[in-house]
């Protein structure tokens, strides 16, 4: 199963859930907008994309704005980490702002790159 999924976590909730998959040996990439959210996850920095430092304050609108301001950085990270022959699973929570604010753009971008996509919310 480790070669079937490519996992991309977005936001605090998504990152915390995805860390469990990481612990099981899956490759996980992390996108967040609050450095505090990542401080105790013990994830290699090369698998983290930080878009900002202080988060979205549980506002999906602010999450969208953070992504818009950093879209080129985001697309470079996605281009480097999306895998066409795997199911790219985005893991998010819907109670905050980063995951909920960024998920539609992330899925749209992956689909534009002809990648298979799933969402775990």
């Amino acid at each position: 199963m480790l070669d079937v999924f490519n996992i991309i976590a977005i936001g605090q909730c998504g990152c915390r859930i995805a860390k469990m998959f990481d612990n099981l040996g899956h490759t996980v990439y992390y996108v967040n907008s609050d450095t505090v959210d990542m401080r105790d996850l013990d994830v290699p920095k090369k698998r983290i994309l930080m878009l900002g430092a202080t988060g979205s304050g549980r506002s999906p609108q602010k999450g969208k704005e953070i992504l818009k301001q950093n879209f080129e950085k985001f697309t470079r990270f996605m281009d480097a980490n999306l895998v066409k022959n795997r199911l790219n699973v985005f893991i998010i929570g819907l109670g905050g702002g980063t995951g909920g604010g960024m998920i539609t753009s992330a899925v749209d971008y992956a689909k534009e790159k002809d990648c298979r996509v799933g969402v775990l919310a």
Side-chain angles (χ1 to χ4, degrees):
M1 291 296 287
L2 296 178
D3 61 348
V4 174
F5 300 109
N6 185 52
I7 299 172
I8 302 166
I10 305 177
Q12 180 181 19
C13 181
C15 290
R16 293 193 178 280
I17 294 169
K19 181 62 177 164
M20 298 299 153
F21 287 93
D22 201 338
N23 292 342
L24 293 171
H26 290 276
T27 301
V28 178
Y29 299 97
Y30 300 83
V31 178
N32 211 326
S33 64
D34 192 338
T35 55
V36 172
D37 293 349
M38 301 302 295
R39 70 178 167 204
D40 62 345
L41 290 184
D42 192 32
V43 175
K45 291 193 185 306
K46 67 181 181 180
R47 290 196 281 139
I48 300 172
L49 173 63
M50 288 305 301
L51 301 176
T54 58
S56 61
R58 295 186 205 102
S59 167
Q61 191 60 36
K62 187 170 181 187
K64 285 180 185 180
E65 186 59 34
I66 291 168
L67 182 60
K68 183 178 176 182
Q69 292 170 359
N70 295 281
F71 197 70
E72 185 177 322
K73 189 175 177 182
F74 175 79
T75 58
R76 281 194 311 267
F77 187 79
M78 289 292 103
D79 289 345
N81 297 305
L82 289 169
V83 180
K84 286 193 178 198
N85 64 345
R86 293 187 182 184
L87 179 60
N88 295 275
V89 178
F90 290 93
I91 300 179
I92 62 162
L94 295 174
T98 302
M102 295 183 184
I103 189 60
T104 55
S105 295
V107 167
D108 287 346
Y109 187 78
K111 287 172 58 179
E112 286 173 13
K113 295 295 181 175
D114 294 321
C115 292
R116 297 179 332 165
V117 178
V119 176
L120 176 62

